[in-house]
Amino acid sequence: GQQVMQIPQYQHVQEGEDFTTYCNSSTTLSNIQWYKQRPGGHPVFLIQLVKSGEVKKQKRLTFQFGEAKKNSSLHITATQTTDVGTYFCAGSMLTFGGGTRLMVKP
Amino acid sequence: DADVTQTPRNRITKTGKRIMLECSQTKGHDRMYWYRQDPGLGLRLIYYSFDVKDINKGEISDGYSVSRQAQAKFSLSLESAIPNQTALYFCATSPGWGGPRETQYFGPGTRLLVL
């Protein structure tokens, strides 16, 4: 079955530094979704990517979908303490990556 | 989202007990899901339902059962709870299949401790 892997599992950054999490699938994806889960909260949808090579931006967040539609990345520029949480990618077969937990030191 | 509610929010039970976790939604979505979250393991799919008459096993269905009582209600049961079922359980819904209809909306979660 489809497997989705995310790296790194954890990331500590100083406020203002950039952050990137990577998502890799064992199979080609029809689309990929990204979710954010704040500490003590539930996953909340951020964005969906559908097209090969697609790049979407949401303020300081940049999402990319690989040309082969087997990988994706989320990049946060100049992290803030409000970015703290776990970021998950999800493949098209209800398969979530293990998540990357982002911790930001003020 | 407040549109997806889960009860109870926290539950402590003993090994061997039967318990039920309930999920209700007011979003009018046909599709509902149950996930389990363990530290470092992300979200793993237990069961999913594409409509009232359609129930499917997910990645980790052993030890669990579900009931879709109505479009708005999807319950998860642990017939005989065991300690390694201690986890955070999420219910989610989605409108359908394809593109933005696959976006999932999660409930607040139920924290279960099996002693």
Side-chain angles (χ1 to χ4, degrees):
Chain A
Q2 181 182 83
Q3 291 188 327
V4 177
M5 291 149 287
Q6 248 181 290
I7 56 169
Q9 190 172 357
Y10 303 96
Q11 182 90 57
H12 282 91
V13 299
Q14 194 74 39
E15 189 172 21
E17 291 181 340
D18 292 356
F19 159 78
T20 304
T21 174
Y22 300 91
C23 182
N24 293 288
S25 171
S26 59
T27 59
T28 301
L29 301 168
S30 60
N31 66 72
I32 193 160
Q33 299 179 355
W34 285 92
Y35 293 80
K36 177 183 178 181
Q37 183 179 21
R38 294 181 187 277
H42 59 275
V44 174
F45 174 78
L46 292 176
I47 207 162
Q48 181 181 58
L49 305 173
V50 179
K51 299 176 184 175
S52 168
E54 189 170 15
V55 178
K56 286 188 176 180
K57 294 191 175 185
Q58 289 180 349
K59 297 183 180 177
R60 293 178 295 104
L61 278 61
T62 302
F63 303 84
Q64 291 190 316
F65 202 7
E67 293 291 341
K69 300 183 77 173
K70 294 183 73 174
N71 61 284
S72 181
S73 65
L74 158 59
H75 179 82
I76 302 178
T77 303
T79 54
Q80 299 175 359
T81 54
T82 54
D83 296 324
V84 164
T86 302
Y87 293 84
F88 293 99
C89 61
S92 43
M93 294 302 293
L94 307 175
T95 305
F96 280 75
T100 296
R101 184 178 170 193
L102 172 63
M103 290 156 279
V104 180
K105 268 193 282 190
Chain B
D1 288 7
D3 300 323
V4 184
T5 57
Q6 292 184 235
T7 55
R9 294 294 311 279
N10 294 279
R11 178 74 183 268
I12 300 174
T13 191
K14 294 183 179 179
T15 297
K17 294 291 187 182
R18 181 181 188 277
I19 67 161
M20 180 183 289
L21 309 183
E22 298 188 346
C23 177
S24 294
Q25 53 114 347
T26 58
K27 298 186 80 67
H29 291 169
D30 286 328
R31 300 185 170 211
M32 298 187 74
Y33 313 86
W34 275 105
Y35 291 93
R36 167 179 172 157
Q37 185 174 37
D38 298 277
L41 292 178
L43 294 157
R44 292 184 291 167
L45 185 64
I46 306 172
Y47 271 94
Y48 60 103
S49 170
F50 285 168
D51 65 41
V52 175
K53 296 180 181 178
D54 178 75
I55 303 286
N56 303 279
K57 292 182 177 181
E59 178 188 353
I60 53 163
S61 59
D62 286 350
Y64 302 94
S65 63
V66 291
S67 172
R68 184 82 185 264
Q69 301 96 322
Q71 186 204 38
K73 295 184 182 298
F74 193 34
S75 300
L76 176 71
S77 293
L78 286 68
E79 296 301 325
S80 180
I82 56 176
N84 78 358
Q85 291 178 312
T86 292
L88 181 56
Y89 291 84
F90 285 106
C91 173
T93 73
S94 68
W97 192 253
R101 293 177 61 77
E102 293 182 27
T103 300
Q104 295 192 46
Y105 299 85
F106 286 81
T110 294
R111 196 168 294 276
L112 175 66
L113 173 60
V114 183
L115 299 174

